[in-house]
Amino acid sequence: MKYKSLGITVLLTAFAGSALAQTHVSGTCKSGKADSTTQSIEVGDQPSHMLVLQKTTCNWSVPFEMAGLKSTTATIAEAVDVTGAKFADRGYVVISMENGDKVHGRFQGMSSVKEGATGEGTWSYTGGTGKLKGVKGKGTWKSSGTPDSGEFQVEGDYSLPEPGGTAKK
């Protein structure tokens, strides 16, 4: 059984911005069904308990901007612990920017499909390329949708190292 975690991303999904002189960012990413790389394993300790590994791509309907660059897509790889209608989400995201630079992050949170599909959690940057090399920051995400599609709203703060220097705290 395939489950689409609404807390993905961070997330995605969720990494719409966090850097040094602390610049605030926010954005909205929309995703569809998980890619064909979804794997589900029944745990067997209770009904409806399973572990799911999946990879998903989302498109930024409201891109966030970092260092003058706008986000275009986010690729999310996550592990989801599903117990009935509740999901514990944990994973990683790679966000592509319009010039090809990338920002990397990790996320965690909780989602539920009980009384509407919703989720929330936190994320942090783990690195970046090009103009986003050395990025630091963190933020929050919220999700809504169905098991087959979702919308993720992310916000946070980021900072980048000064040219020829190291990141400010």
Side-chain angles (χ1 to χ4, degrees):
M1 183 173 197
K2 290 184 180 180
Y3 283 91
K4 168 77 174 135
S5 171
L6 296 176
I8 288 181
T9 289
V10 102
L11 46 135
L12 273 130
T13 261
F15 299 102
S18 191
L20 291 189
Q22 294 300 305
T23 301
H24 189 76
V25 294
S26 65
T28 302
C29 204
K30 293 187 178 190
S31 66
K33 289 186 177 185
D35 298 345
S36 61
T37 53
T38 299
Q39 297 278 324
S40 301
I41 301 169
E42 288 284 339
V43 174
D45 60 344
Q46 58 183 303
S48 301
H49 187 195
M50 58 185 2
L51 300 176
V52 179
L53 291 175
Q54 64 185 15
K55 187 173 183 180
T56 306
T57 301
C58 78
N59 296 302
W60 293 94
S61 58
V62 178
F64 66 90
E65 190 172 317
M66 296 176 69
L69 304 172
K70 289 184 180 178
S71 58
T72 57
T73 61
T75 302
I76 302 119
E78 70 177 327
V80 185
D81 188 341
V82 179
T83 305
K86 294 183 179 180
F87 304 163
D89 310 304
R90 180 179 297 268
Y92 297 88
V93 62
V94 176
I95 299 172
S96 297
M97 306 304 275
E98 61 191 350
N99 73 340
D101 287 356
K102 296 186 185 314
V103 63
H104 315 128
R106 67 175 147 233
F107 64 91
Q108 63 185 24
M110 296 293 295
S111 299
S112 175
V113 292
K114 191 174 185 179
E115 298 178 22
T118 61
E120 61 183 39
T122 60
W123 56 265
S124 61
Y125 291 113
T126 60
T129 65
K131 290 175 78 173
L132 304 175
K133 187 175 181 177
V135 66
K136 302 284 183 195
K138 60 185 176 179
T140 60
W141 58 266
K142 290 185 179 185
S143 65
S144 62
T146 69
D148 292 330
S149 67
E151 180 174 284
F152 308 93
Q153 297 174 342
V154 296
E155 68 176 88
D157 297 293
Y158 78 93
S159 59
L160 291 168
E162 292 182 13
T166 58
K168 297 177 185 176
K169 292 189 177 184

